[in-house]
Amino acid sequence: MESQNHNFRIESDLIGERQIPADKLYGVQTLRGIENFRISNFLLSDYPLFIHGLAWTKEAAAIANHRLGIINDEQKKGIVQACEEILAGQHHEFFPVDMIQGGAGTTTNMNANEVICNRALQIMGHNPGEFKYLSPNDHVNGEQSTNDAYPTAIHLGLYASHLRFRKHLIELIDSLKAKGKEFAHVLKMGRTQLQDAVPMTLGQTFNGFASILEQELGNLDYAAKEFLTVNMGATAIGTGICAEPEYAEYVVEALRQITGWEVELSADLVGATSDTSVMIGYSSELKRIAVKVNKICNDLRLISSGPRAGLNEINLPAMQPGSSIMPGKVNPVIPEVMNQICYKVMGNDVCVTMAGDAAQMELNAMEPVMAQCCFESLDIMANGFDTLRRLCIDGIEANEKVCADYIKNSIGIVTALNPIIGYKNSTKIAKEAMETGKGVYELVLEHDILDKKDLDTILSPENMIRPVKLNIKPKH
């Protein structure tokens, strides 16, 4: 940058000169990215934890470069302060580039380099664009390539997003557990293939929901741990060209100090630079969770269906009118929106997998869309979990009489009699119940198969919802 007035400054790059608004901290390469990639509404500024990942990466690089004597005290101080301001939530408006971009992330990397450099120049007492004092390429990006700085920033940003996400997942699990405890006494019919099966409690249903999600916490943490392995020092293709021998060690040490995480250097930087399987693995785990949450929401919609012509075993909180033409209709809108979030996460996983498969030679140029999908999946699922918990699960009520009537009238309770009266008698009772409309309880007494006291014992709630051994014999 050589020319400047009150409204703009002139910056130049390989392609030529451009005017940059004087009040913008980004520079010419960011401007070209804005113009070239008008692709989606997913902007870097929408993903603050990704911006944090960039700031952590650049701050660690500055610490390592200062230790190596590549930048001086003033330059280090300016870069570090600029990064700390970004980590405090400042200057994010100057990250306007589209997340989906060509160039394997070069636009995003240069956006960070330019913003950090120009803010550091201000801290040093200079104007943005006065790159003779501090350069976005030579100093902020010193000893780096997009091909190691960008994936490192993705890894760190996604790990931070993971830590936030798991809190939302735990809150959802706790909400389901609370309902499991609240509904522990409510008997209902279990169903397989949408047909009556055997009795259970509504509490067992909700505890089941909680348990299948709780199982995923360990898997999620395992997948996320791989984000803490980075390829800083790889530079362009993993050979470390343009970096000093100690740089990789110093920058990873700085990352550990800055983040407080157990960041490690990849064992083979050439292999790591083209390998995006960490995002593939984590996205796959998010898909597993989405499949389970989707099942839960489908079940909530089914068992709350009606209210008069459906199952109506539970009431979901009424959130809004359900129809513009049908008075009184209320729809399960919260489970429905969570269903759609789950489908989006599943679709994002397909995109991540296909993009991960696109690695060629020493790089995967499709990392930008992989990053966008992973960050988006984490954000929308976390928002969905909060919505599902606050606006649906916490307010669910049990329709105990409806649940009890289904059990009383169900042929399914004959299964509880099977170990006592035998399969032949049980089949006979079930068939007659279906043909006559009579209840199983009534028919067992009518055929004098069991005493009423023994029948009541077998069909008592505590004996139908868990394995038991009963010393009861049929009369004949």
Side-chain angles (χ1 to χ4, degrees), residues 168-188:
H168 295 272
L169 177 56
I170 289 171
E171 288 176 344
L172 177 62
I173 292 168
D174 288 344
S175 177
L176 291 166
K177 285 182 177 180
K179 285 296 165 181
K181 185 176 182 180
E182 179 183 343
F183 299 147
H185 67 287
V186 181
L187 279 175
K188 68 180 289 289

Side-chain angles (χ1 to χ4, degrees), residues 25 81-82 85 91 114-123:
L25 289 180
Q81 183 176 330
E85 289 177 358
H91 318 308
E114 290 172 345
V115 170
I116 292 167
C117 181
N118 283 323
R119 177 57 191 141
L121 283 168
Q122 291 176 332
I123 293 166

Side-chain angles (χ1 to χ4, degrees), residues 54-84 113 116 120 134-135 138-144 232 247 250-252 254-255 258:
L54 290 161
W56 284 319
T57 301
K58 299 301 175 179
E59 181 176 350
I63 292 170
N65 286 335
H66 178 261
R67 189 173 176 181
L68 290 165
I70 294 167
I71 59 175
N72 61 37
D73 292 348
E74 184 184 26
Q75 291 169 330
K76 176 201 170 185
K77 180 181 177 182
I79 294 172
V80 168
Q81 183 176 330
C83 290
E84 290 295 324
N113 288 333
I116 292 167
L134 186 72
S135 164
D138 295 334
H139 299 124
V140 181
N141 198 62
E143 309 283 292
Q144 303 155 64
M232 283 297 281
Y247 171 76
Y250 290 172
V251 74
V252 170
L255 282 173
I258 293 166

